[in-house]
Amino acid sequence: MTTVTGQRTFDSLDPATGAVVGTHPIQDAAAVRAAVAEAEVAAAWWAGLGPAGRRRRLLDYKAVLTRDLSRIADVVHAETGKPKGDAVLEVVLAVTHLDWAARNAHRVLGRRRVSPGLVGANIAATLEYLPLGVVGVIGPWNYPVFTPMGSIAYALAAGNAVVFKPSELTPGVGVLLAALFAEAVPEHRVLRTVTGLGETGAALASDPGVSKIAFTGSTATAKRVMAACATNLTPMVAECGGKDALIVDADADLPAAADAALWGALSNAGQTCVGVERIYVVDAVYDAFMRELTDRAGRVRAGRDYGPITMPAQIDVIRRHIDDAVAGGRAVVGGAGSVRAPFVDPVIVEDVPEDSAAVREETFGPTVTVKRVADVEEALEKTNATAYGLAGTVFSGNARRAVELARRMRGGMTAINSVISFASIPALPFGGVGDSGFGRIHGADGLREFARPKAVSRQRFALPGMNLTSFTRGEKELDRLIRLVTFLHGRRKQ
Ligand code: NDP
C-alpha cells in the first residue's frame, strides 16, 4: 500500500483471523541510513553516560516494561496469535534478562588489571570492553519480545545504541518496545525501530554506520545477511534454528519426561528455535513413555492450549513434514488431518526413518517424532547426527550420567530433567553451532559479544639491562632472556 505522502506501508495481521492489527511504513535504505546516522549520535551520548548512568536508565526501562506488561502481551497476542499467558511469560523473561544485563555490565566489561607475567613485571596491564557503536538487531516473530531483547538488552548495557528491525509479522511489538524505551530515556533515541520487509533488514545489515548485526531467524536468511554484512566487514551474531532432541533414559521419571517433552514440542505451536522436535527413548521404557506421552497429547488442543501458525507459509512446511513422517513411520497422535490452517493440532509420529525431512529439517510446528533406541549412546549418536546444533534435553534419574550426556550433546545448551530451563537463566550464554549459527547472546558472553576488548600496557619503569625492544639491545640482554625463559619454561613436568 502507498499513502498520500508516497510512503509505502504494510499491514500486520492477526494470524488467527486475518484482521489488520496495524499499518507500518516500509522504510527504505535512505530511511535506514538516516536512522543509523541519528543512532550514531545517540550512541556517543549513551557511551558518555558511563556504566552507572546506563544502569540507572536501563533499570527505569525495565520498570516501564513491567508496568506495561499486560499492554505489551496484548500486542504480542494480536500479532503472533499465541495465548496471552504465553505472551506474559515471554515479557517476564525479557525483563529478567534486561535486569541482569543492566546490573552485571560493569562487572563483566569494566576496566581491570591483568597479570603481566614475569617477563612483563615492569608493566601495568589493563583490560576493558568498550562499546561498538550502533548495533543492528534483526528479530524474529516467534518470540518478538524475548528473542530480540536477548540482543537489545545486552547491546544497550554494553554501551551501544540499537536500531531494531522487527519481523514484518510483528512490527507493532518492535515499535512499542522502542516507544517505551523513549519514556524511560527521553534524551536520545538510543533504542529505535525501523519497520519494513526483508529489504529493510538487508539495508540495515549493509549500512556502513552499523558496527555489528545480531540476527535471529532461519539459516538461509542468516547466510544472506552475512553476505550483506560482508560489504563493510560488519561482524554478526547469528541465532538460527535447530532440530533439538530430547533423550529419555531407562531410569527417567517418565510422567515428568512426557509432560516436559509435550510442552517442549507443542507450546507456541512448536514455533520455538529450542523446541523439542525429536525424542529418543531407550527400549526398556519406550512403551511406558509412549503411554504417558500419547495420553497427555490427547488432551492438548490447538486454539486453546497454543495459538495458530504465525507465518502462513510455514503451514506448507509443516504439512510436508507430516506427510513425510507418516509415509515412513506410524502416526500415534494426529496426522495429515491435523492441519486445519491456521491451526495445527498435535502430531506425534514414531519410527520415522532418520534420513527423512521430518527428522532432518526444522519443522517449526506442533509435531514431534519419537524413536526407540537400544541405549543412551545410540540416542546421543542420533541426536548429534544433524547439521544443526542449538540445544537439547536429557531426562535421567542418574545425575552424573545426565551431565555427561549433556556435555557430549552437540550444541550450545542442554537442559536436564526439564525443558528450555537454560533460556530463563540470564547468566547462561545462548547460541548454537553449525547450521544453528554462531556467537552468543545472554550472560557475560552475551555482553562481550557487543563490545570490543581494549588492552593497555603501561611501562611503569625500565628494567635495567633488559630493554628488548630497542636497537641498542645486545648479546647480554638476549643471554639473560634465554636464561630466564629456560628457567620458566624449559623443564618438562612429570
Ligand atoms: P527469516 O529468517 O526469513 O526472517 C528472520 C528475520 O530476518 C525477519 O526479521 C526478516 O524480516 C529478516 N529478513 C528477511 N530477509 C532478510 C534479508 N535479506 N536481509 C536482512 N533481514 C532479512 O525467517 P522467516 O520469518 O521467514 O521464517 C522462516 C523459518 O526460519 C521458520 O520456518 C523457522 O524454521 C526459522 N526461524 C527461526 C527462528 C529462530 O528463533 N531461530 C525465528 C524465526 C524463524 P521480514 O520478517 O520482514 O521478512
Side-chain angles (χ1 to χ4, degrees):
M1 206 171 99
T2 306
T3 64
V4 279
T5 58
Q7 170 72 65
R8 288 193 304 141
T9 61
F10 68 105
D11 293 333
S12 82
L13 307 175
D14 177 333
T17 62
V20 175
V21 173
T23 301
H24 300 270
I26 297 177
Q27 293 183 262
D28 61 11
V32 170
R33 182 79 282 277
V36 173
E38 275 185 39
E40 286 180 281
V41 177
W45 173 79
W46 185 245
L49 283 180
R54 288 195 294 270
R55 174 190 155 116
R56 183 172 66 70
R57 284 167 175 82
L58 287 174
L59 293 177
D60 282 351
Y61 181 37
K62 178 193 75 166
V64 171
L65 291 178
T66 308
R67 182 200 69 199
D68 279 6
L69 202 154
S70 183
R71 181 178 160 208
I72 302 167
D74 280 338
V75 183
V76 172
H77 165 69
E79 290 194 323
T80 66
K82 72 174 71 176
K84 183 156 177 204
D86 287 359
V88 167
L89 183 61
E90 175 180 347
V91 182
V92 169
L93 281 180
V95 162
T96 312
H97 277 276
L98 178 57
D99 181 69
W100 193 92
R103 291 184 192 282
N104 287 277
H106 187 53
R107 179 183 62 78
V108 173
L109 307 174
R111 191 157 163 257
R112 61 174 167 276
R113 292 177 76 111
V114 299
S115 166
L118 255 186
V119 177
N122 59 330
I123 302 212
T126 59
L127 167 66
E128 66 187 307
Y129 293 83
L130 299 175
L132 300 172
V134 177
V135 170
V137 174
I138 299 177
W141 42 264
N142 52 342
Y143 293 92
V145 176
F146 172 69
T147 301
M149 195 55 85
S151 298
I152 292 170
Y154 291 83
L156 290 173
N160 306 282
V162 171
V163 178
F164 173 34
K165 155 63 179 72
S167 163
E168 68 193 69
L169 302 179
T170 53
V173 178
V175 168
L176 181 57
L177 290 179
L180 294 175
F181 185 86
E183 271 188 41
V185 186
E187 297 96 327
H188 282 272
R189 292 169 72 186
V190 181
L191 167 61
R192 59 193 299 146
T193 299
V194 289
T195 56
L197 314 180
E199 314 92 79
T200 305
L204 185 61
S206 55
D207 191 283
V210 170
S211 298
K212 186 150 194 169
I213 286 288
F215 169 85
T216 309
S218 64
T219 310
T221 304
K223 291 177 185 176
R224 282 201 288 280
V225 173
M226 206 167 166
C229 283
T231 321
N232 299 303
L233 217 58
T234 306
M236 118 184 226
V237 43
E239 300 294 337
C240 306
K243 193 70 188 174
D244 293 354
L246 180 146
I247 295 175
V248 183
D249 199 353
D251 53 6
D253 175 340
L254 297 184
D259 188 65
L262 207 61
W263 193 85
L266 305 181
S267 62
N268 207 30
Q271 304 164 116
T272 304
C273 56
V274 289
V276 175
E277 297 220 354
R278 301 176 288 156
I279 304 174
Y280 296 106
V281 188
V282 299
D283 183 37
V285 292
Y286 185 85
D287 295 330
F289 174 80
M290 287 307 279
R291 277 194 297 277
E292 296 281 352
L293 186 71
T294 53
D295 180 47
R296 283 174 170 73
R299 298 195 290 268
V300 179
R301 285 278 169 282
R304 186 192 65 196
D305 300 307
Y306 58 82
I309 301 306
T310 305
M311 187 171 71
Q314 195 67 26
I315 291 279
D316 294 336
V317 177
I318 296 169
R319 191 180 279 121
R320 177 167 62 81
H321 284 195
I322 293 174
D323 290 346
D324 178 63
V326 171
R330 269 184 316 282
V332 289
V333 172
S338 301
V339 180
R340 44 181 185 91
F343 295 96
V344 178
D345 284 317
V347 178
I348 300 176
V349 190
E350 62 180 358
D351 217 11
V352 180
E354 290 293 298
D355 60 354
S356 67
V359 175
R360 303 200 72 78
E361 298 171 18
E362 185 174 42
T363 307
F364 234 54
T367 68
V368 68
T369 62
V370 195
K371 184 131 206 130
R372 186 192 295 265
V373 289
D375 51 29
V376 286
E377 285 304 320
E378 187 188 349
L380 187 67
E381 188 193 311
K382 289 189 159 50
T383 294
N384 287 347
T386 165
Y388 288 112
L390 192 54
T393 314
V394 176
F395 266 84
S396 173
N398 182 324
R400 186 188 292 255
R401 188 163 59 237
V403 170
E404 194 224 331
L405 284 169
R407 294 182 65 212
R408 289 165 60 207
M409 198 180 260
R410 184 168 186 267
M413 299 80 65
T414 300
I416 296 172
N417 292 344
S418 68
V419 279
I420 316 183
S421 50
F422 45 77
S424 64
I425 299 170
L428 284 178
F430 184 102
V433 300
D435 280 2
S436 293
F438 54 85
R440 292 293 180 267
I441 57 173
H442 301 176
D445 294 281
L447 285 167
R448 289 191 201 102
E449 191 73 51
F450 298 109
R452 64 186 165 91
K454 178 70 192 182
V456 174
S457 53
R458 178 176 60 84
Q459 179 167 302
R460 294 183 294 131
F461 54 87
L463 272 186
M466 273 298 266
N467 191 0
L468 301 170
T469 54
S470 164
F471 289 114
T472 63
R473 187 185 67 209
E475 286 301 318
K476 278 193 186 137
E477 275 100 333
L478 270 188
D479 280 351
R480 269 188 217 109
L481 178 68
I482 289 167
R483 267 188 274 126
L484 178 62
V485 162
T486 307
F487 172 72
L488 291 175
H489 304 295
R491 280 163 298 172
R492 292 180 67 171
K493 292 265 185 307
Q494 294 307 311

